[in-house]
Structure formats: structure tokens, C-alpha cells
Amino acid sequence: MTSETLVEINDLNFSYGRHAILKGINMTMPRGKVIAIMGGSGCGKTTLLRLIGGAVAPSSGYVKIAGQVVHELSRDELFQMRRKMSMLFQFGALFTDLSVFDNVAFQMREHTNLPESLIRDLVLMKLNAVGLRGAHKLMPAELSGGMARRVALARSIALDPLLIMYDEPFTGLDPISLSVIGNLIRRLTDALGMTSIVVTHDVQESLKIVDYVYFISEGVIAAHGTPTEVRESIAPFVHQFVHGEEDGPVPFHYPAESYASDLRLRSSFA
Amino acid sequence: MPRRIVIGIRGIGHRVIDSVWRLGRASRFFMLMLLKSTTSLRRFNLVIREIYFTGVLSLIIIVVSGLFVGMVLGLQGYETLQKYGSESAVGTLVALSLVRELGPVVAALLFASRAGSAITAEIGLMKATEQLAAMEMMAVDPIARVVAPRFWAGVISMPFLAAMFSTVGIFGGYLVTVVLIGVDEGSFWSQMQNTVDFRYDIVNGVIKTCVFGVAVTAIAVFEGYDAPPTAEGVSGATTRTVVTSSLAILGLDFILTAFMFRGMS
Ligand SMILES: Nc1ncnc2c1ncn2[C@@H]1O[C@H](COP(=O)(O)OP(=O)(O)O)[C@@H](O)[C@H]1O
Ligand SMILES: [Mg+2]
């Protein structure tokens, strides 16, 4: 089993200052699977991806990728590891001063000595995989949101990584682009034998394409399971999330003092 | 009200601590950037691309301003010098003013507002739109790949821009005094050649422009890299670049002048 595990997260804790974000997360992500991480906005999903990518260090616990503890790596070792992984940022984060072609070619030019003619072929292949070969001359400002997301996807598979992390890949897309991206994630994962971690709150779309789901709530894993298990789950939290109910175990309100004291009402009025 | 006073003092204390903290961050950033400059030197085409954006695009404003400054110098100089019957020295006056002071200082001020602000805005926006974070996740160091090439491009462009400014300015002075007013052309040039010293005037002027170039671009890249990743953050940083580097240019100019031209002639 361990040889099959790519990412192992063990008792991971993280806080910004005194504000605890993640409290004792445990996850196991096997190679070649698509894993979804779901939870409300602000529950720490992006933070978890940043921990996996080594952009921030945990307060305790660890993330292990292919047997290496991420936060114990030196900067050089971390950079070596990052060549094997990619992150798709929420808004694509395409380099605005480079064309679509140059964006996809960026890592090939930075990390390899491939001749320009080969880079050209590879870039066009990657763009073809996301259906945007014809757009290779455009600048990022000329793309729609869905196209930018697809270019970013092509860029993140440029060096055939072992692991790709997608931060809310479905947000702000129309239903067609949304299922296009969803299917791409599934197809690329299978075709390239990668492992994908998809952070999302789009339950319906992601349940179609993922192999396993973790729900995070209030810094802990509230539930986890395969899509079938999740759909049939009667756990109140999962039910609320899957069916999009407004109130339930996930509170509508950000933690605050009592409403009355915030409005400076005397106790006799409250 | 003692409580007010305490709060006031505390506020001043916070400001001071913040400034020292920021200065420390800036120095650390500057050292890191120098250490990571090898990429820029190895892949010099990265720097050349930035020289185009910072240097070449500043050329027009530099040339136009230089021309006007030189023309005004010619007019004012002629007005005063002719009272003493030494209007043939106007060439000297124009050239010395430009080469020693106005060339380096005004060119640097223009450079700060044209190129410095653009560098800050560009780096700040790259940060705000997570381009720098994305680069970092691609195992490419943004300081080496984005910041250092822009810094070196600015440092290299600045002396050429200032030289351009002075050259065009001298031509402007020539236009006004010789062509328009009719000062003797031979004495205009020969007086200038006799009095402008290569070592004292030109070399010192070039040293000034190099110092200004380092100061302006270092401030510009730091402000961009340090900007809060929001729209207000970037616009604030852009303003700070122009203000801080203008003050730095004028302050440094005073210090450099005091050392360079002290006890001459
Ligand atoms: N740089 C930061 N400093 C302090 N708090 C932060 C920072 N980034 C995020 N947070 C807080 O951490 C929590 C989790 O953020 P994030 O991981 O971005 O949530 P999400 O699940 O929506 O991606 C949020 O409550 C946010 O306010
Ligand atoms: Mg997020």
C-alpha cells in the first residue's frame, strides 16, 4: 500500500497567528486517483494545498510526498520536488506578459534544454489536449475565463507532473466550460497516470469525476468516502453540503460575539 | 489627557518600528537579489528585453525634456551673462549645468516616474494575481527570474538615458543661443571644450547617474515585490516608488556633490 501512496498527510495542524485553520488532518492519496477536498469558503482548502506544495510549513504534523516530508526539505530539494508537481491557481495565474504559447513553454524553457523545435511540438500537443491549439498566439488578456483556466491546465501538465493540485477549478465557469474542465481533469489523470487533488465546492460536478472525497469543516475532516458513499450518506454535514442547504452543521455565520452585544444592546433589551 | 498622550507616543513608536522593520526587509531583499543575479547574467536576453521596456520606452520623454531644459538654460544663461559681456561663456554654462547636475538629476527623476512606477506596478500586479506564487510553485525563483532582470535593466539604462538627456540639452542650448540669438558659434563650442573637464565633470556625472539608477530601480522593484496583493496595495506602492525615489535622488545628489566638487578650482 505504501508504495501506492503518493501523498500522506499525518496529524497536520496549521494556524495563522492565533487563528487555528487546520486541526489534525489525516489523508492518504493513492497514485493515479482524483481526490476531491470539499468544504465551505474559508475553511482552509487553499491553505491545505499550500501546505502540500511547501509554500507554508505546518505548526505540527507533516505532509509526505513520495516518502519525503515536505517541510523538512531544503529550498533546493523543495524546488526539485516541485518539478514533479503542479498547482492550478484559482484564477489561472497566467503570466500576463507572455503569450499562451510562451506560458505553456515557460517551464520547458526554464527546466530543460530541449531544442526550440521540440518545445514547439510539445506545447502544441499540450494545447491540443485542452482544445486550444488554435489560440496559441493570443495573450492572456484576450482569453475568456474558461479558456484561461484551460491554458493554465495545459501549462500545469507541461512537464508531465506526478501530482497536480487544482484550486477551485470550476468557480466562475458556465456549465459547459465546467464539464469540459471536469472531464479534462479526469482524462488527463488517467492518460498521464498522475494524481490529482481537486479543491472545490462544486459537489455535483466533482462527484462525477473523482475517486474519493474529503469534507473539511472547522479545521477537521468531517467526512470522507467514495462518491457513492457520499451521495448515500446520511451524516448531517455531508447531507447539507451535497444538497446545498443553507443552515445545518455548517453555520451561516462567521464566529462572532453575540449579536446583541455587537449592537451594544443592554441585556434588558436582548 | 494622559491617555491621549500615551496613545500618541505609542503611535509614533509603532511608526518607527515599522520603518526600521521595512528598511531591514528592503536590505535583505536587496542582498538576496544581488545573490540571485547570476541567472540574469547567464541569460542576458532576459535583461535585454527589460532594457527595451524600461530604457527605450523612456527615451521619448527624456529627449523632449532634455531639449526644453537645454533651451531654457540657454535663454537664462544668455540673459545673465550678456550683462557682463561674457555671452560666449553660455556654452560652458549650459554644458556644465547639464553634465554635473541637471542631466543626472532630472533624467533620474523622469526615469523614476516613467519606468520606476511601471516596474513597481508590473511586479505588484504579478504578485496580486498570484503569478509570482505560481512561478514559485513551478520551481522558478521569482526574484531571479522577474526581479533581478528588471533591476539590472534599469541600472544599465540609466547612464545612457542621462547622457542622452545632457546631449540633447546641449543641442537645445545651442539652438537657442547660437541659431536663434546669434552667439558666436566658434566660441560657444571652444569655450565649452576648454572648460568641461573629463575627469571632474563627465566622470562624476556618470557616477551620479549610476548611483541614481541603482537607487531608483532598487526602490521600484522592492516596492513592487513588497506591495500588499490588492489593487489599493499596488497603487499605493506605485506612488511610494515615485515619492521615495525622487527624495532619494535629491538627497543622494547633495551628498555626492558635496564629496565630488568640494575644494575644486
Ligand atoms: N495570509 C493569511 N493571513 C492570515 N489569515 C489568512 C491568510 N490566508 C488565509 N487566511 C485565513 O485562513 C482561512 C482559510 O483560508 P483559505 O485556505 O484561503 O480558505 P479556502 O478554503 O476558502 O481556500 C480563512 O479564514 C482566511 O481568513
Ligand atoms: Mg481558496
Short mmCIF file of all heavy atoms in Angstrom, two decimals, chain A residues 237-264:
data_model
loop_
_atom_site.label_atom_id
_atom_site.label_comp_id
_atom_site.label_asym_id
_atom_site.label_seq_id
_atom_site.Cartn_x
_atom_site.Cartn_y
_atom_site.Cartn_z
N PHE A 237 -23.75 16.69 8.06
CA PHE A 237 -22.87 17.62 7.39
C PHE A 237 -22.82 17.35 5.89
O PHE A 237 -22.99 18.24 5.06
CB PHE A 237 -21.46 17.51 7.97
CG PHE A 237 -20.45 18.29 7.19
CD1 PHE A 237 -20.30 19.64 7.43
CD2 PHE A 237 -19.70 17.70 6.18
CE1 PHE A 237 -19.40 20.38 6.70
CE2 PHE A 237 -18.82 18.44 5.44
CZ PHE A 237 -18.67 19.78 5.71
N VAL A 238 -22.61 16.08 5.55
CA VAL A 238 -22.50 15.72 4.15
C VAL A 238 -23.81 16.00 3.43
O VAL A 238 -23.83 16.53 2.32
CB VAL A 238 -22.11 14.23 4.01
CG1 VAL A 238 -22.07 13.83 2.55
CG2 VAL A 238 -20.78 13.98 4.69
N HIS A 239 -24.89 15.70 4.11
CA HIS A 239 -26.20 15.93 3.51
C HIS A 239 -26.39 17.42 3.20
O HIS A 239 -26.79 17.80 2.11
CB HIS A 239 -27.29 15.44 4.47
CG HIS A 239 -28.62 15.35 3.80
ND1 HIS A 239 -29.53 16.38 3.85
CD2 HIS A 239 -29.19 14.37 3.04
CE1 HIS A 239 -30.60 16.04 3.16
NE2 HIS A 239 -30.42 14.82 2.66
N GLN A 240 -26.03 18.25 4.17
CA GLN A 240 -26.17 19.69 3.97
C GLN A 240 -25.35 20.13 2.76
O GLN A 240 -25.78 20.90 1.91
CB GLN A 240 -25.71 20.46 5.21
CG GLN A 240 -25.90 21.96 5.04
CD GLN A 240 -25.17 22.77 6.10
OE1 GLN A 240 -24.58 22.22 7.03
NE2 GLN A 240 -25.22 24.07 5.96
N PHE A 241 -24.14 19.62 2.69
CA PHE A 241 -23.23 20.07 1.64
C PHE A 241 -23.67 19.58 0.27
O PHE A 241 -23.73 20.33 -0.70
CB PHE A 241 -21.81 19.58 1.95
CG PHE A 241 -20.78 20.54 1.48
CD1 PHE A 241 -20.33 21.55 2.31
CD2 PHE A 241 -20.27 20.46 0.19
CE1 PHE A 241 -19.41 22.46 1.88
CE2 PHE A 241 -19.35 21.38 -0.25
CZ PHE A 241 -18.91 22.38 0.59
N VAL A 242 -23.99 18.28 0.22
CA VAL A 242 -24.33 17.70 -1.08
C VAL A 242 -25.62 18.31 -1.62
O VAL A 242 -25.79 18.48 -2.81
CB VAL A 242 -24.43 16.16 -0.96
CG1 VAL A 242 -24.99 15.55 -2.24
CG2 VAL A 242 -23.08 15.57 -0.64
N HIS A 243 -26.52 18.66 -0.71
CA HIS A 243 -27.79 19.19 -1.18
C HIS A 243 -27.89 20.70 -1.08
O HIS A 243 -28.94 21.26 -1.36
CB HIS A 243 -28.94 18.50 -0.44
CG HIS A 243 -28.95 17.03 -0.69
ND1 HIS A 243 -29.47 16.47 -1.82
CD2 HIS A 243 -28.41 15.99 0.02
CE1 HIS A 243 -29.29 15.16 -1.80
NE2 HIS A 243 -28.64 14.84 -0.69
N GLY A 244 -26.77 21.33 -0.67
CA GLY A 244 -26.72 22.78 -0.68
C GLY A 244 -27.73 23.46 0.21
O GLY A 244 -28.36 24.43 -0.18
N GLU A 245 -27.90 22.94 1.43
CA GLU A 245 -28.83 23.61 2.34
C GLU A 245 -28.11 24.73 3.08
O GLU A 245 -26.93 24.63 3.39
CB GLU A 245 -29.42 22.60 3.35
CG GLU A 245 -30.38 21.65 2.66
CD GLU A 245 -30.54 20.34 3.42
OE1 GLU A 245 -29.94 20.20 4.49
OE2 GLU A 245 -31.26 19.46 2.91
N GLU A 246 -28.87 25.80 3.37
CA GLU A 246 -28.21 26.99 3.89
C GLU A 246 -27.70 26.83 5.32
O GLU A 246 -26.60 27.21 5.64
CB GLU A 246 -29.17 28.19 3.84
CG GLU A 246 -28.49 29.47 4.28
CD GLU A 246 -29.42 30.66 4.15
OE1 GLU A 246 -29.79 30.98 3.00
OE2 GLU A 246 -29.79 31.22 5.17
N ASP A 247 -28.54 26.27 6.17
CA ASP A 247 -28.09 26.14 7.54
C ASP A 247 -28.14 24.69 7.96
O ASP A 247 -28.93 23.89 7.45
CB ASP A 247 -28.93 27.01 8.48
CG ASP A 247 -28.03 27.75 9.45
OD1 ASP A 247 -26.87 27.32 9.62
OD2 ASP A 247 -28.47 28.76 10.03
N GLY A 248 -27.27 24.36 8.88
CA GLY A 248 -27.14 22.98 9.31
C GLY A 248 -25.90 22.92 10.17
O GLY A 248 -25.56 23.92 10.82
N PRO A 249 -25.19 21.84 10.13
CA PRO A 249 -23.95 21.77 10.90
C PRO A 249 -22.95 22.86 10.48
O PRO A 249 -22.20 23.35 11.29
CB PRO A 249 -23.40 20.38 10.62
CG PRO A 249 -24.53 19.60 10.07
CD PRO A 249 -25.48 20.57 9.45
N VAL A 250 -22.96 23.23 9.18
CA VAL A 250 -22.10 24.33 8.75
C VAL A 250 -22.86 25.63 8.98
O VAL A 250 -23.90 25.85 8.36
CB VAL A 250 -21.76 24.23 7.25
CG1 VAL A 250 -20.87 25.41 6.85
CG2 VAL A 250 -21.08 22.92 6.97
N PRO A 251 -22.40 26.45 9.92
CA PRO A 251 -23.16 27.64 10.24
C PRO A 251 -23.07 28.67 9.13
O PRO A 251 -22.08 28.76 8.42
CB PRO A 251 -22.50 28.15 11.52
CG PRO A 251 -21.11 27.63 11.46
CD PRO A 251 -21.15 26.36 10.65
N PHE A 252 -24.14 29.45 8.98
CA PHE A 252 -24.19 30.53 8.02
C PHE A 252 -23.29 31.68 8.49
O PHE A 252 -22.68 32.39 7.72
CB PHE A 252 -25.65 30.96 7.87
CG PHE A 252 -25.86 32.24 7.13
CD1 PHE A 252 -25.58 32.31 5.77
CD2 PHE A 252 -26.35 33.36 7.77
CE1 PHE A 252 -25.78 33.49 5.08
CE2 PHE A 252 -26.55 34.53 7.08
CZ PHE A 252 -26.26 34.60 5.73
N HIS A 253 -23.17 31.84 9.84
CA HIS A 253 -22.44 32.97 10.38
C HIS A 253 -20.97 32.65 10.67
O HIS A 253 -20.66 31.56 11.15
CB HIS A 253 -23.09 33.43 11.69
CG HIS A 253 -24.40 34.12 11.47
ND1 HIS A 253 -24.49 35.37 10.94
CD2 HIS A 253 -25.67 33.70 11.69
CE1 HIS A 253 -25.76 35.72 10.85
NE2 HIS A 253 -26.50 34.71 11.28
N TYR A 254 -20.10 33.62 10.35
CA TYR A 254 -18.71 33.56 10.80
C TYR A 254 -18.75 33.71 12.32
O TYR A 254 -19.57 34.47 12.84
CB TYR A 254 -17.95 34.73 10.16
CG TYR A 254 -16.46 34.70 10.34
CD1 TYR A 254 -15.65 33.93 9.50
CD2 TYR A 254 -15.85 35.46 11.33
CE1 TYR A 254 -14.28 33.91 9.66
CE2 TYR A 254 -14.48 35.45 11.50
CZ TYR A 254 -13.68 34.67 10.65
OH TYR A 254 -12.34 34.66 10.81
N PRO A 255 -17.88 32.98 13.06
CA PRO A 255 -17.92 33.07 14.53
C PRO A 255 -17.82 34.52 14.99
O PRO A 255 -16.99 35.28 14.52
CB PRO A 255 -16.69 32.28 14.96
CG PRO A 255 -16.38 31.38 13.82
CD PRO A 255 -16.86 32.06 12.59
N ALA A 256 -18.70 34.93 15.89
CA ALA A 256 -18.72 36.32 16.35
C ALA A 256 -19.23 36.36 17.77
O ALA A 256 -19.73 35.37 18.30
CB ALA A 256 -19.63 37.15 15.44
N GLU A 257 -19.06 37.56 18.38
CA GLU A 257 -19.69 37.77 19.68
C GLU A 257 -21.20 37.68 19.47
O GLU A 257 -21.69 37.70 18.34
CB GLU A 257 -19.37 39.18 20.18
CG GLU A 257 -17.94 39.39 20.59
CD GLU A 257 -17.75 40.84 21.03
OE1 GLU A 257 -18.49 41.28 21.92
OE2 GLU A 257 -16.88 41.51 20.45
N SER A 258 -21.93 37.64 20.55
CA SER A 258 -23.38 37.54 20.37
C SER A 258 -23.87 38.80 19.67
O SER A 258 -23.31 39.88 19.85
CB SER A 258 -24.08 37.35 21.71
OG SER A 258 -24.36 38.62 22.27
N TYR A 259 -24.85 38.64 18.84
CA TYR A 259 -25.37 39.73 18.02
C TYR A 259 -25.75 40.91 18.90
O TYR A 259 -25.44 42.07 18.62
CB TYR A 259 -26.60 39.21 17.26
CG TYR A 259 -27.03 40.01 16.08
CD1 TYR A 259 -26.15 40.86 15.42
CD2 TYR A 259 -28.34 39.90 15.60
CE1 TYR A 259 -26.56 41.57 14.32
CE2 TYR A 259 -28.74 40.61 14.50
CZ TYR A 259 -27.86 41.45 13.86
OH TYR A 259 -28.27 42.16 12.76
N ALA A 260 -26.37 40.59 20.02
CA ALA A 260 -26.85 41.64 20.92
C ALA A 260 -25.68 42.48 21.43
O ALA A 260 -25.74 43.71 21.42
CB ALA A 260 -27.61 41.02 22.08
N SER A 261 -24.59 41.82 21.82
CA SER A 261 -23.51 42.61 22.39
C SER A 261 -22.81 43.41 21.29
O SER A 261 -22.30 44.49 21.54
CB SER A 261 -22.53 41.71 23.13
OG SER A 261 -21.72 41.02 22.21
N ASP A 262 -22.80 42.89 20.04
CA ASP A 262 -22.21 43.65 18.94
C ASP A 262 -23.01 44.92 18.66
O ASP A 262 -22.45 45.94 18.29
CB ASP A 262 -22.16 42.79 17.66
CG ASP A 262 -20.75 42.32 17.39
OD1 ASP A 262 -19.86 42.66 18.21
OD2 ASP A 262 -20.54 41.63 16.38
N LEU A 263 -24.28 44.85 18.82
CA LEU A 263 -25.13 46.02 18.57
C LEU A 263 -25.22 46.90 19.82
O LEU A 263 -25.97 47.87 19.84
CB LEU A 263 -26.53 45.58 18.14
CG LEU A 263 -26.58 44.82 16.81
CD1 LEU A 263 -28.02 44.44 16.49
CD2 LEU A 263 -26.01 45.66 15.68
N ARG A 264 -24.49 46.53 20.84
CA ARG A 264 -24.45 47.25 22.12
C ARG A 264 -25.85 47.41 22.73
O ARG A 264 -26.24 48.46 23.19
CB ARG A 264 -23.75 48.60 21.94
CG ARG A 264 -22.23 48.42 21.99
CD ARG A 264 -21.53 49.71 21.76
NE ARG A 264 -21.63 50.09 20.36
CZ ARG A 264 -21.27 51.27 19.90
NH1 ARG A 264 -20.84 52.20 20.71
NH2 ARG A 264 -21.36 51.53 18.61
#
